């Protein structure tokens, strides 16, 4: 079992107090929650979104493979969220983080924490063929149009999603990147670039998704 003390020493996310006494979430953005380790594609030189550059996705990333329930990192993530609730309060953590057992529940929480029903959801698609352990060439890059406030959800195990909210003080760009293996079919990757905390970019995993506001907010009553 994972003790609360060990989780405090080796956590995947931290909760920090801002200048205005606002509590905000700082997940370790280089951490791949599906693989329990850093993304192998994590880089700081910008080559993941540069046309003509090359990259490789390691089998260790579980990029297009979702562990069955009980065989991924869900238990550890849920335990770390509980530590955060004990330290900062359930109400505070509940607005920033959530763990859900269906994409529908995760999307419902995203609408609630973004305080709007008017959302746009972008989900990482399956590739047109296996891309693992192949040299991939970047053919085209298109940046997604995202609202300042947004929610990122990571499928850590089958139908088990860890979601976290990003505010307007957290700069994040996500691009659709078309790649091709040699003599293979083009596929679309999602590349997330973070410009706070751990600064860098990585390839997002299949089925992960981002929710942003699509029109003027409609506040919940």
């Amino acid at each position: 079992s994972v003790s609360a003390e060990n989780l405090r020493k080796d956590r995947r996310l931290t909760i920090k107090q801002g200048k205005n006494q606002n509590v905000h979430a700082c997940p370790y953005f280089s951490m791949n929650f599906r693989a329990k380790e850093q993304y192998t594609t994590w880089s700081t030189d910008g080559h993941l979104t540069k046309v003509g550059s090359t990259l490789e996705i390691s089998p260790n990333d579980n990029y297009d493979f979702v562990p069955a329930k009980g065989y991924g990192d869900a238990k550890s993530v849920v335990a770390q969220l509980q530590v955060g609730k004990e330290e900062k309060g359930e109400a505070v953590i509940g607005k920033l983080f959530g763990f859900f057992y269906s994409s529908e529940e995760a999307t419902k929480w995203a609408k609630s924490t973004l305080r709007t029903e008017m959302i746009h959801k972008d989900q990482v698609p399956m590739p047109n063929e296996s891309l693992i352990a192949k040299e991939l060439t970047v053919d085209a890059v298109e940046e997604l149009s995202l609202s300042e406030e947004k929610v990122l959800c990571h499928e850590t195990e089958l139908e088990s999603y860890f979601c976290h909210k990003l505010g307007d003080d957290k700069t994040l760009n996500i691009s659709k990147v078309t790649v091709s293996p040699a003599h293979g079919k083009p596929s679309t990757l999602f590349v997330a670039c973070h410009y706070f905390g751990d600064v860098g970019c990585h390839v997002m995993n299949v089925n992960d998704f981002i929710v942003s506001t699509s029109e003027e907010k409609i506040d919940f009553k």
Side-chain angles (χ1 to χ4, degrees), residues 40 55-60 63-64 130-136 181:
T40 64
L55 66 133
E56 182 178 306
I57 302 173
S58 168
N60 295 336
Y63 158 73
D64 58 359
S130 176
L131 302 179
I132 305 305
K134 296 179 180 179
E135 183 177 89
L136 307 173

Side-chain angles (χ1 to χ4, degrees), residues 6-147:
N6 286 336
L7 287 171
R8 289 186 175 92
K9 292 178 180 178
D10 184 25
R11 60 178 55 184
R12 307 288 174 82
L13 56 91
T14 55
I15 312 299
K16 295 184 178 180
Q17 197 83 21
K19 293 181 180 179
N20 300 323
Q21 300 302 307
N22 294 323
V23 176
H24 57 85
C26 295
Y28 292 167
F29 291 108
S30 62
M31 181 60 63
N32 183 345
F33 289 93
R34 186 178 296 179
K36 309 181 187 179
E37 58 187 33
Q38 186 182 61
Y39 289 98
T40 64
T41 56
W42 179 261
S43 66
T44 58
D45 61 6
H47 78 276
L48 295 179
T49 55
K50 183 179 180 180
V51 173
S53 65
T54 60
L55 66 133
E56 182 178 306
I57 302 173
S58 168
N60 295 336
D61 276 342
N62 286 339
Y63 158 73
D64 58 359
F65 171 77
V66 184
K69 287 191 176 182
Y71 289 87
D73 205 26
K75 184 176 181 180
S76 175
V77 175
V78 170
Q80 290 181 66
L81 287 178
Q82 183 58 41
V83 170
K85 290 177 181 178
E86 292 171 1
E87 293 180 350
K88 298 297 181 182
E90 187 164 353
V92 172
I93 299 303
K95 292 179 181 179
L96 298 172
F97 299 104
F99 199 91
F100 309 95
Y101 295 96
S102 72
S103 59
E104 291 79 13
E105 285 299 312
T107 303
K108 181 179 178 181
W109 177 81
K111 290 179 179 179
S112 175
T113 196
L114 292 173
R115 300 178 63 202
T116 181
E117 289 285 341
M118 308 298 290
I119 62 150
H120 183 74
K121 181 178 177 180
D122 293 287
Q123 188 162 27
V124 182
M126 282 290 293
N128 292 319
E129 63 177 90
S130 176
L131 302 179
I132 305 305
K134 296 179 180 179
E135 183 177 89
L136 307 173
T137 300
V138 176
D139 299 325
V141 178
E142 177 190 355
E143 188 174 320
L144 294 180
S145 178
L146 302 173
S147 57

